[in-house]
Amino acid sequence: MRNFLSVLSVVALAVPAAATEMTIEIAGEANGTVTIDLLEDVAPGHVEQIAQLAGDGAYDNVVFHRVIDGFMAQTGDVQFGKEGEDMHLAGRGGSDRPDLAAEFSDVPFDRGVVGMARAQDPDSANSQFFIMFDEGHFLNGQYTVVGRVTGGMEVIDAIKRGTGPNGAVVGAPDVMRKVTVSE
């Protein structure tokens, strides 16, 4: 029996985990669908948090509040980033779930990579994430990679850009109308 269980353990380890896909319906200057392969093998805790928030509908109608041309588009502030609310606090909030310990990896921040936003503390990521317009290898090993865009990068490229060094979006920002996660 013991050998049988050992064989089962080896077989279980050899089977890849089910792929987790996030679908984002975006509206605004950018309109369309973006699909993201969530990398649960790279950042399991972060992917679980994103999946839970999406399943709860927390990401629905959340704006892209920080968008820097040539760098990235940031969203996911489920506390202060809802469409139609006062945007002066957008980017400062999170969810009612606990912050996450960093899950750094060797996955580089290339175009289309999705990373978790955080404060100065590496273990402060919660709900906010960003999608890279271009490579940003200076982020490697400093932020947790959670996914890669697999479809709709042209929609990401069309997101309304922010102004100034912080990339704050002025006027009506683009919004994640509906976010779903499936295996």
Side-chain angles (χ1 to χ4, degrees), residues 95-161:
S95 72
D96 57 2
R97 295 178 59 86
D99 288 348
L100 299 161
E103 294 177 294
F104 298 146
S105 69
D106 293 334
V107 178
F109 277 91
D110 290 329
R111 175 173 164 77
V113 165
V114 182
M116 288 298 283
R118 61 170 176 79
Q120 277 195 301
D121 178 357
D123 298 329
S124 62
N126 186 285
S127 65
Q128 294 186 47
F129 60 90
F130 57 92
I131 303 169
M132 301 297 293
F133 289 126
D134 207 346
E135 76 175 31
H137 290 179
F138 61 94
L139 300 174
N140 294 352
Q142 305 294 315
Y143 289 80
T144 298
V145 171
V146 296
R148 284 189 186 96
V149 173
T150 56
M153 194 63 199
E154 70 281 358
V155 178
I156 297 299
D157 288 336
I159 290 174
K160 181 180 182 179
R161 301 308 199 259

Side-chain angles (χ1 to χ4, degrees), residues 5-80:
L5 291 177
S6 294
V7 170
L8 278 180
S9 296
V10 170
V11 170
L13 291 174
V15 176
T20 304
E21 182 177 82
M22 179 164 62
T23 303
I24 306 172
E25 297 294 331
I26 297 177
E29 285 190 16
N31 282 290
T33 302
V34 175
T35 55
I36 295 169
D37 176 21
L38 293 175
L39 305 175
E40 61 273 357
D41 55 330
V42 172
H46 288 73
V47 170
E48 187 279 326
Q49 183 115 318
I50 288 170
Q52 183 67 48
L53 290 168
D56 292 345
Y59 285 130
D60 296 351
N61 301 310
V62 171
V63 302
F64 285 88
H65 64 273
R66 182 174 181 236
V67 184
I68 301 174
D69 193 36
F71 181 32
M72 59 87 214
Q74 185 171 328
T75 186
D77 183 346
V78 301
Q79 183 178 9
F80 298 123

